[in-house]
Every structure is written in structure tokens, then in C-alpha cells.
């Protein structure tokens, strides 16, 4: 294939020289040309003709200078948006995990929300361990949140006589979750200083030693029991439930909640494919370019999951605009539209009074370079044919 | 962080451009450097490659439409 690509490039260079075609195809075109050259068994002359025709079609498909690409992108994403479901569905394949889909998710993406409704991660494993079920299960339990409640053999007992909370741990459950007994003990002892642990039996006396107000004390004891039950014994901050799934070739962990930075630092994780759906988090951990790619991926997945196909170029434009300042910015009042340089353009979008008032206080000047400003004052707009001017060359009679 | 974030599939290749490359690449454009898309000086990739504010980065993305796409970002101080 490599040599065919080189051959195609050579022929393009020849054509450029001989016929002055000024061909500058993207790499994907050259690859496609090479593929069809092999597949269709073309002769050199046929390849030349194909390149000429492709050049003509490529030029036709180019966006003209002055074309309203932003408006077209807005319409192209907006119209399918009207057909999207307003409901949140379950994640395909893993019914237990709830992930925001459809219109709410699309709004979340373009609004660049810091706190998304259902953050989730897809965790992959490196080559040696992607089929090691034992390793994956152990890691899943390290990542996922477990509380004392998950490893109790029975419910917690409240002893009102001695004012103590009693709990029994279940060895089988601990074993199942691949937790470390020693670690659990130390966490309990660290949190509840007065706790005594004998084998699997835990006794924690109520904090309050003053027995003057017994009614108060019963409440204290119940609160203590809740605290014991909810004591987190393993897991990474921000991550709740985990779901272990095996697809055709490997084990994958899906999580509820997300903490990309800490997960990527763990051993055995594939730090090439492991991702989160939280775009801000990706921006912080992997940089603005990764965030841009993630916006494109998330928006495209959301749309295609609903059976809608939007040309990726529209979504790319949205992602480019959202990340052009180096941080992820939202489309709308608090982001792109709210930070336009023109006062009139901002006032025309939302919060008219606020913008006009602030502009007059600061003495802002409007250069009337944009579309909206010129519509407001009734001038031709700088778009399409309006974006070029005609000047007379007075020296040339 | 002990892992190299540049390995991640979402992160395209970032390179710091030399002065010659910059003058060659931007000799015939009708915009200024400051109008290039920006990248923060505290961006994790900028820190990883050791770019300074004012540097121009060449970013080589894998594009769904063009195969390979080259773009530029200026490091913002």
C-alpha cells in the first residue's frame, strides 16, 4: 500500500507540473485514491483522469469564502435536535448503569457543564491483564465504593443497655470483594477511636459519655450506627458503583462517577484508551486538544445513538470554537455569545439592557465588523458577496 | 503523574515550532500570531513538552475527514 500511495503522490506532482492543477489533497484522499487504484486495477491514464475529476469535485465541495458556516452548523445540529428524545435512557448493554443520553446530553456538551448529570468512565486494561479476571475484579473493588454496610453479615445491632453499636462482618463478602481485612480494621480504628474489634465482631461505644440526657443519647447512638454503616472502606474519590463487563476480547470496567487522574495513575490500566465522559476533566488532565476531540466524540455518539447523522464537520466547528481560547467554553450567554467584542451583537442575543448599560458606562466602541451589528443599523452584512468590496482603480483609465 | 499523557488516544501530537519553521509557515498568511487559537501555559501537554508562553505549537491531529490535519496553537502567558 505504501508504494501505491507514493506512486499516487508522484502522479499528482506530475499533474501539478504539467497541467498546473495546483492539487493539494488531504491525506485521506490520497489513501482513497491508492485504494481504488489497487481495487479497480486502474491504468496510469485512468488514475490521472480520476485525479483530474476528483480535483474538480474537491474544488466544487470547498466552502466559499464568506459562507455562513456557523449558521449552517447551528441549523444542522439544531434540526436533528428537535427529533431527539427528551428522556434519559439506560446505557446500551449494561442496564444497571444510567447515563444521560439524547437532548439533555447534547445540551450538557454545548453548555460545557462543569458538573454533568451522569459522569462515567470506561476503564480498559493493559495487554497482559485485559484477560485476567482475578486482577480486574480486585481492581474493580479498589476503584468502586464499598461501605461497611456491604460487608455486614447481618444488620447493625444497637445495644441500648450499654449504649454500644455492634456489628458483625462477613468473611465471605469480604473475600468476594477482595478486600484486605487488616486495612478494614485500621480504617475502622482510625475513624472510631473507641472501637474494639474481636475477630469479626465490632463494638463501638457511643461518643457521649455524659449520661444525663438519655433521650439525646439514643439519637446519638442511632446517628453513630448510620455513620458506621456508611463508612467507606475502599474506593476512589468521586467513583460510586462499578460494573465489570466482558466484551468479545477483553474485560472492561464501567463506573458511575469519574476520576480520570487517579485511575490513569493506577497500575495495569490501559492509559491509552481509558476515558471519561466529563469533558472538563479531560481538559484538565489531558489538555485542551483532548477536550476538543472529546467534544466531537461525545456529540457524535449522542447524535448517532439516536439514529441521527450530522456531518462531523459541523460538530468539529462547534468544538473548535469552544476550545479556541485554551479552555472549554460554552456556547451561549456565559461563553461564546456573551463574550463577543461587539456590544450590539451581545445586546441582540440575551440580556439586552445589561449589555447596553454596561457598554455606555464603560464607553465601549462598536466597530460594526460583524453580522448582527450591521443588520441592526441597516447596512449590508459582511457575509457571502457582502464580504468583498469593490474599489475603483482611478489611475487606470 | 507517572504516565505520559501524550500516549493517550485523545491527545494529538504537539510540537514546539522553531523560529525558522514559524517564519516559513506563516510567511503568506493574512492574520497575526495573536489570532491563532490559544493553549494555556498550564495545559498538561504544554507542561509535558516544556513549551513557554509565546511558543507556537504545531498540532498534528488524526482527522475523520482529512486523515491527517495540521493546526497551530499559540501558548498563552
Amino acid at each position: 500500500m505504501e508504494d501505491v500511495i507514493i506512486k499516487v503522490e508522484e502522479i499528482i506532482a506530475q499533474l501539478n507540473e504539467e497541467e498546473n492543477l495546483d492539487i493539494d489533497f488531504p491525506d485521506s484522499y490520497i489513501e482513497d485514491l491508492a485504494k481504488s487504484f489497487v481495487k479497480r486495477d486502474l491504468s496510469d491514464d485512468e488514475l490521472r483522469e480520476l485525479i483530474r475529476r476528483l480535483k474538480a469535485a474537491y474544488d466544487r465541495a470547498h466552502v466559499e469564502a464568506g459562507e455562513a458556516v456557523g449558521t449552517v452548523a447551528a441549523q444542522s445540529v439544531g434540526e436533528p435536535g428537535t427529533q431527539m428524545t427528551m428522556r434519559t435512557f439506560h446505557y446500551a448493554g449494561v442496564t444497571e448503569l444510567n447515563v444521560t443520553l439524547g437532548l439533555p446530553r447534547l445540551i450538557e456538551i454545548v453548555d460545557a457543564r462543569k458538573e454533568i448529570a451522569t459522569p462515567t468512565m470506561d476503564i480498559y486494561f493493559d495487554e497482559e491483564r485485559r484477560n485476567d479476571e482475578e486482577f480486574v475484579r480486585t481492581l474493580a473493588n479498589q476503584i468502586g465504593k464499598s461501605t461497611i454496610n456491604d460487608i455486614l453479615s447481618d444488620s447493625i445491632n444497637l445495644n441500648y443497655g450499654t449504649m454500644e453499636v455492634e456489628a458483625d462482618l462477613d468473611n465471605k463478602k469480604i473475600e468476594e470483594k477482595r478486600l484486605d481485612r487488616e486495612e478494614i480494621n485500621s480504617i475502622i480504628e482510625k475513624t472510631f477511636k473507641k472501637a474494639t474489634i474481636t475477630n469479626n465482631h465490632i463494638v463501638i461505644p457511643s461518643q457521649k459519655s455524659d449520661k444525663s440526657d438519655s433521650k439525646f443519647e439514643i439519637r446519638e447512638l442511632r446517628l453513630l450506627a448510620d455513620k458506621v454503616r456508611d463508612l467507606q472502606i475502599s474506593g476512589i474519590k468521586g467513583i460510586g458503583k462499578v460494573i465489570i463487563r466482558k466484551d468479545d476480547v477483553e474485560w472492561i470496567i464501567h463506573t458511575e462517577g469519574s476520576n480520570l487522574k487517579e485511575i490513569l495513575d493506577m497500575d495495569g490500566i490501559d492509559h491509552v484508551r481509558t476515558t471519561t465522559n466529563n469533558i472538563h476533566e479531560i481538559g484538565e488532565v489531558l489538555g485542551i486538544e483532548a477536550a476538543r476531540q472529546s467534544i466531537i466524540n461525545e456529540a457524535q455518539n449522542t447524535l448517532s445513538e439516536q439514529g441521527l447523522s450530522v456531518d462531523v464537520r459541523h460538530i468539529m466547528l462547534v468544538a473548535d470554537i469552544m476550545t479556541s481560547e485554551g479552555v472549554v467554553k460554552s456556547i451561549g450567554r456565559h461563553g461564546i455569545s456573551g463574550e463577543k467584542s461587539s456590544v450590539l451583537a451581545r445586546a441582540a442575543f440575551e440580556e439586552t439592557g445589561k449589555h447596553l448599560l454596561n457598554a455606555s458606562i464603560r464607553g465601549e466602541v462598536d466597530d460594526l465588523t460583524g453580522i448582527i451589528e450591521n443588520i441592526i443599523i441597516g447596512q449590508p452584512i459582511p457575509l457571502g458577496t457582502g464580504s468583498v468590496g469593490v474599489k475603483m482603480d482611478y489611475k487606470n483609465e | 503523574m507517572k504516565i505520559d499523557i501524550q500516549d493517550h488516544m485523545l491527545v494529538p501530537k504537539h510540537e514546539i515550532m522553531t523560529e525558522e519553521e514559524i517564519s516559513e509557515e506563516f510567511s503568506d498568511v493574512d492574520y497575526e500570531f495573536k489570532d491563532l487559537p490559544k493553549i494555556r501555559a498550564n495545559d498538561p501537554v504544554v507542561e509535558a513538552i516544556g513549551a513557554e508562553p509565546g511558543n507556537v505549537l504545531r498540532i498534528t491531529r488524526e482527522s475523520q475527514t482529512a486523515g491527517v490535519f495540521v493546526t497551530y496553537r499559540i501558548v498563552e502567558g
Side-chain angles (χ1 to χ4, degrees):
Chain A
M1 205 63 211
E2 279 298 308
D3 47 316
V4 187
I5 287 174
I6 292 164
K7 185 186 163 72
V8 171
E9 275 169 348
E10 271 168 10
I11 290 183
I12 288 175
Q14 272 174 34
L15 278 172
N16 274 344
E17 198 144 307
E18 289 162 22
E19 301 174 27
N20 230 349
L21 282 178
D22 192 26
I23 298 170
D24 187 15
F25 286 150
D27 288 9
S28 59
Y29 277 39
I30 293 172
E31 243 168 73
D32 286 349
L33 279 170
K35 264 184 213 149
S36 50
F37 178 75
V38 176
K39 197 175 162 199
R40 308 275 170 202
D41 200 15
L42 299 178
S43 69
D44 281 15
D45 276 345
E46 283 169 326
L47 180 63
R48 277 162 177 269
E49 186 54 28
L50 182 64
I51 291 171
R52 275 190 214 106
R53 297 260 182 106
L54 182 64
K55 167 70 177 164
Y58 184 56
D59 286 346
R60 257 201 321 281
H62 257 173
V63 174
E64 301 280 339
E67 178 132 10
V69 285
T71 309
V72 174
Q75 290 174 338
S76 305
V77 179
E79 195 278 333
T82 61
Q83 300 171 33
M84 284 179 120
T85 161
M86 303 288 285
R87 274 200 300 156
T88 307
F89 275 122
H90 292 275
Y91 190 58
V94 192
T95 43
E96 301 142 87
L97 205 61
N98 212 14
V99 173
T100 315
L101 290 175
L103 196 61
R105 177 63 186 148
L106 197 64
I107 292 171
E108 235 172 38
I109 296 166
V110 295
D111 271 356
R113 298 258 169 85
K114 283 243 161 62
E115 303 284 330
I116 61 172
T118 52
T120 173
M121 289 188 76
D122 298 330
I123 302 170
Y124 295 88
F125 297 88
D126 61 16
E127 248 158 90
E128 307 120 61
R129 283 173 269 210
R130 69 182 51 149
N131 289 309
D132 184 349
E133 184 177 350
E134 182 57 32
F135 176 81
V136 172
R137 287 199 185 279
T138 314
L139 204 84
N141 285 305
Q142 269 174 43
I143 293 168
K145 182 177 172 181
S146 304
T147 58
I148 294 278
N149 200 31
D150 296 330
I151 52 164
L152 287 177
S153 63
D154 201 9
S155 62
I156 284 183
N157 274 324
L158 298 182
N159 191 332
Y160 294 111
T162 52
M163 282 297 162
E164 282 169 341
V165 173
E166 292 170 12
D168 285 302
L169 300 183
D170 190 334
N171 272 336
K172 227 170 111 193
K173 283 182 182 166
I174 294 172
E175 184 70 25
E176 230 168 66
K177 286 194 164 284
R178 275 112 176 139
L179 294 167
D180 187 16
R181 213 31 244 274
E182 300 280 303
E183 235 170 86
I184 297 170
N185 287 356
S186 76
I187 290 169
I188 293 169
E189 274 163 1
K190 220 174 116 197
T191 324
F192 305 104
K193 297 267 150 43
K194 293 182 196 163
T196 46
I197 305 168
T198 39
N199 287 330
N200 280 342
H201 192 66
I202 304 168
V203 180
I204 303 167
S206 177
Q207 301 285 333
K208 226 170 161 192
S209 49
D210 176 23
K211 305 221 166 157
S212 55
D213 196 345
S214 62
K215 204 173 126 199
F216 218 62
E217 187 137 347
I218 286 170
R219 221 185 89 204
E220 288 280 310
L221 193 68
R222 288 193 176 146
L223 286 175
L224 180 66
D226 284 340
K227 236 166 131 187
V228 174
R229 219 173 272 134
D230 293 337
L231 178 67
Q232 189 169 348
I233 42 174
S234 79
I236 285 180
K237 197 178 158 235
I239 291 183
K241 206 159 69 178
V242 294
I243 282 155
I244 309 166
R245 188 169 69 91
K246 184 169 185 161
D247 76 356
D248 302 336
V249 284
E250 62 186 320
W251 289 90
I252 303 163
I253 297 180
H254 299 284
T255 67
E256 208 176 82
S258 160
N259 192 338
L260 188 62
K261 195 179 172 104
E262 281 191 31
I263 299 276
L264 281 182
D265 263 347
M266 292 176 90
D267 274 331
I269 300 284
D270 182 348
H271 52 255
V272 175
R273 293 182 300 154
T274 298
T275 56
T276 169
N277 67 348
N278 188 341
I279 290 159
H280 271 283
E281 211 182 329
I282 290 181
E284 272 159 38
V285 180
L286 300 174
I288 192 69
E289 275 292 324
R292 189 199 91 103
Q293 192 55 50
S294 176
I295 292 171
I296 296 170
N297 294 349
E298 290 291 325
Q300 220 183 2
N301 286 344
T302 309
L303 287 162
S304 66
E305 230 149 43
Q306 304 275 317
L308 304 167
S309 59
V310 173
D311 194 297
V312 70
R313 278 160 263 246
H314 299 307
I315 299 163
M316 281 170 158
L317 183 72
V318 173
D320 275 336
I321 288 290
M322 286 175 72
T323 56
S324 68
E325 290 294 312
V327 280
V328 183
K329 273 202 188 148
S330 66
I331 307 278
R333 189 173 13 191
H334 303 291
I336 309 298
S337 297
E339 287 172 13
K340 284 179 182 167
S341 58
S342 162
V343 192
L344 292 176
R346 265 180 286 135
F349 177 61
E350 266 171 18
E351 302 175 298
T352 309
K354 186 187 113 186
H355 282 119
L356 291 180
L357 182 67
N358 284 337
S360 52
I361 291 169
R362 283 193 234 113
E364 273 182 52
V365 175
D366 201 312
D367 294 327
L368 302 178
T369 48
I371 313 292
I372 303 159
E373 306 91 286
N374 283 294
I375 290 177
I376 291 172
I377 62 161
Q379 282 193 141
I381 56 169
L383 188 73
T385 50
S387 57
V388 289
V390 181
K391 268 187 192 162
M392 193 151 59
D393 188 357
Y394 56 89
K395 277 177 262 169
N396 196 355
E397 290 283 328
Chain B
M1 219 183 215
K2 59 191 171 190
I3 61 134
D4 188 0
I5 57 163
Q6 290 180 82
D7 293 341
H8 200 279
M9 63 172 180
L10 289 172
V11 183
K13 195 165 112 197
H14 294 56
E15 297 163 289
I16 305 171
M17 292 175 80
T18 62
E19 288 294 327
E20 297 95 75
E21 283 174 321
I22 292 172
S23 52
E24 194 185 323
E25 197 63 51
F26 297 101
S27 58
D28 58 346
V29 295
D30 54 0
Y31 53 82
E32 287 179 39
F33 283 166
K34 63 174 174 55
D35 298 327
L36 282 173
K38 293 175 180 68
I39 188 165
R40 294 276 157 116
N42 62 6
D43 190 277
V45 182
V46 170
E47 281 172 359
I49 62 171
E52 305 269 311
N55 281 159
V56 177
L57 304 187
R58 183 195 291 116
I59 294 158
T60 314
R61 296 171 184 155
E62 268 172 45
S63 160
Q64 283 176 54
T65 50
V68 175
F69 184 77
V70 179
T71 185
Y72 306 91
R73 274 183 195 269
I74 186 160
V75 182
E76 203 182 35

